[in-house]
Every structure is written in structure tokens, then in C-alpha cells.
Amino acid sequence: MILAALVWAPLLAAAGLARIPGVSVRMVLLVWLALGRCGAEEREAVYRLDTADYRIEMGVRFFPPYVGGRLVFHNSLNPGKELCYSGSGDSSACIERFVGAVAAVTYRVQPRRKNLPAAATFREVVKVVSQSDGLDDRPPYIREQPLVQGVGSDIQAFGYDESAVAERERAAVRAESRARMWRVYRQELFLNGDSEPFGVVEWKHTLNRIEVVRAAGRPAADRQ
């Protein structure tokens, strides 16, 4: 199954390889972190999307690609509890042999002045800009979440479950998938029910990595 996600909810069906049902996904998480993906290849990046009223930081952790590993997430407040998502949307069953890319995104929003109330909600509108042949079209994704002490987060994932692929065929399927599977998204970010976004982020998902293509805040003239 092919997954594609930023932090989005249950996996959504999307066409992938002929032998593997596809899935596009974005999981909604506030305090969930990917399990056991720390290592030398992990990297982080921070993007500033400040407005006249708020200091806004978008931090992204890019994890090493999964090559047949178990896709599972853990709550930082309850490390013993697992969160799973499967292609069917079943949160009780983890993808056991995930091939693909994962990134964790954290948004931190702080008032710029003491008399300014903390931001209460965070909304995102995500649209597919372009994608490889063979993936199903997906409608715009709209999600609003409360900010907890000014913090919101999500997990992005793009890949497939190779459990149903015969072991002798897995290397060939991985190579074929990496060569042709990709998707580009445009994400607009809003605070407190605003009609104009404070930031626009373009993402590219492949099986090897998730990338920020561009991250732009509101033009200075519009911040007043």
C-alpha cells in the first residue's frame, strides 16, 4: 500500500503499484513521536513563519527511510502505548513492513506581546500540486486542531506495506517504486480562524525522503 502524509488522519486510498494497493495519509497528532528512528542519518530543520502578532516556528525532523520496518508511533506522555495506522484506517494494526519516508513536524506559536492572548487553534489546508502517474487524485485536506500551550504537531509518511510481496520480489519492487513514486503538496497554514494564511509550505514526498521545497511566511506588507 502506498502512503502519503503530513500529519493527517486515517490513511486514504490511492493507487500505487499494480501489485500493491496504494494509500495516501496524514495523521493528526499533538504529542506523538515516531518510534526508534533516531540515528546518524536523522536531520532537523527549523523554519520561521512569524506574523505581526506571533512568533511561529515550524520544526521538521526528517527520519532515515524505512526499508521493511514496522511503522509505529509512541506518545511522549505515555511511551508504553503504541499508535498504529494501516491502509484500511485501522488504528489497532501497525504496518509491519513499511517502505518509505517519515517526517515529524512541530509548530510552536508564541505571542509577540504580553497583552496578546495565546493562539487557540491551528488550521491547515493541503492540496496536491502534482504527482507521479498511477496515484489516485485526492481532494484537498482540511484540518483544524487546538494548540496545547502554543504547540501543535503532525506526522507525514509516504510509502507502502510490502508484507504481501513475496520476499524474493521485494528488492525489485522497492527499486521500481523508488524510481517512480512521488507527490508534491501545497500546505496553507492559518491561526485562530483567520481567512489569510500566515505561511505556505510546499512539500515533496518520495520513498527515500520527505522534503520542504519552499516555506514562505506572509509578506511583510501584509503583517501590519
Side-chain angles (χ1 to χ4, degrees), residues 54 117-122 145-148 191-192:
Y54 296 96
T121 61
F122 166 84
Q145 65 168 285
L147 292 169
V148 179
L191 283 181
N192 295 334

Side-chain angles (χ1 to χ4, degrees), residues 83-121:
L83 175 67
C84 301
Y85 278 96
S86 69
S88 64
D90 180 7
S91 61
S92 66
C94 286
I95 295 174
E96 294 297 331
R97 295 196 58 86
F98 179 66
V99 177
V102 175
V105 187
T106 302
Y107 305 93
R108 294 182 171 85
V109 184
Q110 298 297 328
R112 298 177 70 95
R113 299 182 298 278
K114 290 182 178 180
N115 62 345
L116 193 69
T121 61

Side-chain angles (χ1 to χ4, degrees), residues 10-22:
L11 306 181
L12 307 174
L17 294 173
R19 285 173 286 182
I20 305 175

